[in-house]
Amino acid sequence: MTVPEDAVSTVLVTGGAGFIGSHTCVELLDHGHAVVVVDDHSTSSPAALDAVQSLSGRRLTAYRADLRDATALDAVFGAHRIDAVIHFAARKAVGESIAMPLEYYDINVGGTVALLRVMLARGVHRLVFSSSCSIYGDGGGHPLTEDDPARPTNPYARSKWMCEQVIADTVHRHPELSALALRYFNPAGAHPSGLLGEDPRGALHNLMPYLMQVAVGRRPRIEVFGSDYPTPDGTAVRDYVHVVEIAEGHRMALERLRPGLRVLNLGTGVGTSVLQLVEAFAEASGRKIPYDLVARRPGDVAELVADAGRVAGEWGWRARRDIGEMCRDAWRFQQLHPEGYPG
Ligand code: NAD
Ligand code: WQD
């Protein structure tokens, strides 16, 4: 399939069927970009891409391939005139990364190396990379700026930090490259239509999907990991940011790439505790969310909140949707997809 002739640009989105990738595809299509997706669907359903196309009323081109398959990846670049790449494809579960570190370094770092090689060979010089707040380690109670040191505490976070360094070294050697690493905090919510959302495959790791499944009756109750943190209610505080606004951030990044590597946080600057999120989800869903206070989860930190001043100052990007809206949107998606996407 060819891309439209009037497209603003043609963007390769790796991991485009995933939670953040699929919302970003809608944002790109809505802004006139043509989208080519490479995804092996190891943690996502191809049905997410059908939802993207229904929502935007536009077609995209999708390839099922592992990013580390250099031949397959090169063939995609050969078939399209790619202007820029947004690189989401990765594994992201902290606990799993401790259990299988080599797999994580292979997929996350190896995938990024493979992508950069093909980009350089094919003369594609614009890259937006999914980085993560997890590279900071513990926030120590203050909002984190991009100048705070990286202190990753697990293989997943280290793999993201390594990717940033791989990109930095490659940009140093190839000054024609323009790259942006977006360090996002805790993406949550869903497209307001309810057609697109978070549908983790296999074991659940994150709080919001857990709340969604308890509210819809797929799980009986939630465990709150740790109630003795030095936070107002003793439970851990995070900066939840609406996935649609994260998607907007990627589209804005693409349009603002310039030579070199820039690093920017995407967060709200507002902290929400686990118990506050439980309460907000109960209110949004009108369902009871039974919970038990249990021991801390190994590797967790007390507080991670962004200082999002730099991106606001430079681009005017500000997250405006609050926790209530994130919960209502996530709940709409869950109600329409009680068992997740089909297939
Ligand atoms: P996700 O699991 O929903 O999406 C990842 C996508 O990448 C999936 O569609 C998966 O099938 C695909 N993929 C994985 N390995 C691949 C490979 N080797 N080849 C091709 N495709 C592959 O996760 P997400 O929440 O959408 O996260 C996207 C990116 O954002 C990741 O890089 C993650 O590290 C980063 N990130 C996520 C969060 C978060 O909490 N969701 C926060 C900060 C950063
Ligand atoms: C949030 C809070 C849990 C589940 C992870 C990655 C980070 C980034 C975002 C990718 C924590 C608590 C959770 C449950 C609970 N992703 N919790 N009961 O750990 O802040 O961040 O996702 O880059 O890198 O580490 O997110 O949603 O897992 O947890 O009490 O059943 O909810 O202990 O305090 P986290 P999370």
Side-chain angles (χ1 to χ4, degrees), residues 14-22 38-45 63-69 87-93 106-108 111 129-134 156 159-160 182-188 197-201 206 243 246 250:
T14 76
F19 174 44
I20 308 171
S22 57
V38 171
D39 198 306
D40 67 357
H41 299 299
S42 50
T43 60
S44 64
S45 164
Y63 296 90
R64 185 174 201 137
D66 187 317
L67 204 60
R68 295 163 296 171
D69 179 345
H87 176 32
F88 292 107
R91 299 295 283 264
K92 63 164 183 179
D106 192 5
I107 295 170
N108 294 4
F129 172 67
S130 274
S131 190
S132 166
C133 63
S134 60
Y156 163 70
S159 76
K160 286 280 148 179
L182 297 178
R183 294 176 178 166
Y184 9 107
F185 281 65
N186 288 49
E198 186 167 13
D199 175 27
R201 312 253 123 178
N206 299 115
V243 65
I246 296 271
H250 284 79

Side-chain angles (χ1 to χ4, degrees), residues 184-188 239-249 252 265-270 306 308-309 311-312 316-323 325-326:
Y184 9 107
F185 281 65
N186 288 49
D239 184 340
Y240 298 92
V241 49
H242 200 295
V243 65
V244 165
E245 294 178 322
I246 296 271
E248 282 167 9
M252 291 176 81
N265 287 341
L266 291 184
T268 66
V270 177
V311 67
W317 181 93
R318 276 182 196 83
R320 293 192 168 82
R321 293 168 216 222
D322 65 10
I323 283 293
E325 191 165 349
M326 289 179 228

Side-chain angles (χ1 to χ4, degrees), residues 44-57:
S44 64
S45 164
L49 295 175
D50 299 334
V52 166
Q53 294 178 99
S54 308
L55 263 172
S56 64

Side-chain angles (χ1 to χ4, degrees), residues 2-291:
T2 53
V3 297
E5 275 176 18
D6 61 347
V8 176
S9 67
T10 300
V11 186
L12 175 69
V13 182
T14 76
F19 174 44
I20 308 171
S22 57
H23 289 80
T24 302
C25 287
V26 171
E27 171 75 10
L28 293 173
L29 291 168
D30 284 352
H31 283 78
H33 298 285
V35 171
V36 177
V37 167
V38 171
D39 198 306
D40 67 357
H41 299 299
S42 50
T43 60
S44 64
S45 164
L49 295 175
D50 299 334
V52 166
Q53 294 178 99
S54 308
L55 263 172
S56 64
R58 297 188 53 209
R59 307 285 301 164
L60 53 72
T61 308
Y63 296 90
R64 185 174 201 137
D66 187 317
L67 204 60
R68 295 163 296 171
D69 179 345
T71 310
L73 194 59
D74 188 64
V76 175
F77 278 80
H80 303 272
R81 204 181 51 81
I82 306 289
D83 297 301
V85 178
I86 304 184
H87 176 32
F88 292 107
R91 299 295 283 264
K92 63 164 183 179
V94 171
E96 191 180 64
S97 79
I98 295 168
M100 40 171 85
L102 293 179
E103 200 65 11
Y104 267 65
Y105 290 122
D106 192 5
I107 295 170
N108 294 4
V109 184
T112 301
V113 170
L115 175 66
L116 284 165
R117 280 209 170 108
V118 176
M119 284 178 64
L120 287 168
R122 290 281 181 177
V124 176
H125 296 142
R126 291 150 52 80
L127 174 69
V128 179
F129 172 67
S130 274
S131 190
S132 166
C133 63
S134 60
I135 70 162
Y136 292 117
D138 196 342
H142 75 276
L144 290 152
T145 75
E146 293 82 352
D147 297 328
D148 276 297
R151 293 200 186 95
T153 59
N154 57 68
Y156 163 70
R158 267 189 287 281
S159 76
K160 286 280 148 179
W161 176 230
M162 285 180 190
C163 287
E164 281 196 16
Q165 292 173 302
V166 166
I167 295 167
D169 288 341
T170 309
V171 165
H172 182 73
R173 168 68 183 81
H174 297 275
E176 67 276 20
L177 281 174
S178 298
L180 252 163
L182 297 178
R183 294 176 178 166
Y184 9 107
F185 281 65
N186 288 49
H191 192 276
S193 64
L195 296 180
L196 209 58
E198 186 167 13
D199 175 27
R201 312 253 123 178
L204 283 189
H205 303 282
N206 299 115
L207 180 57
M208 187 62 113
Y210 223 105
L211 291 173
M212 290 157 70
Q213 293 199 6
V214 172
V216 84
R218 277 171 70 180
R219 289 167 197 266
R221 50 204 301 119
I222 184 154
E223 291 185 325
V224 173
F225 300 138
S227 51
D228 58 348
Y229 284 109
T231 58
D233 65 16
T235 66
V237 168
R238 296 289 182 272
D239 184 340
Y240 298 92
V241 49
H242 200 295
V243 65
V244 165
E245 294 178 322
I246 296 271
E248 282 167 9
H250 284 79
R251 194 256 311 154
M252 291 176 81
L254 194 70
E255 294 164 355
R256 287 160 179 77
L257 282 166
R258 54 175 197 260
L261 169 64
R262 294 273 297 146
V263 172
L264 286 170
N265 287 341
L266 291 184
T268 66
V270 177
T272 302
S273 73
V274 176
L275 286 182
Q276 284 173 323
L277 195 64
V278 170
E279 195 181 317
F281 207 89
E283 193 180 323
S285 62
R287 304 283 175 96
K288 278 199 164 26
I289 312 271
Y291 66 84

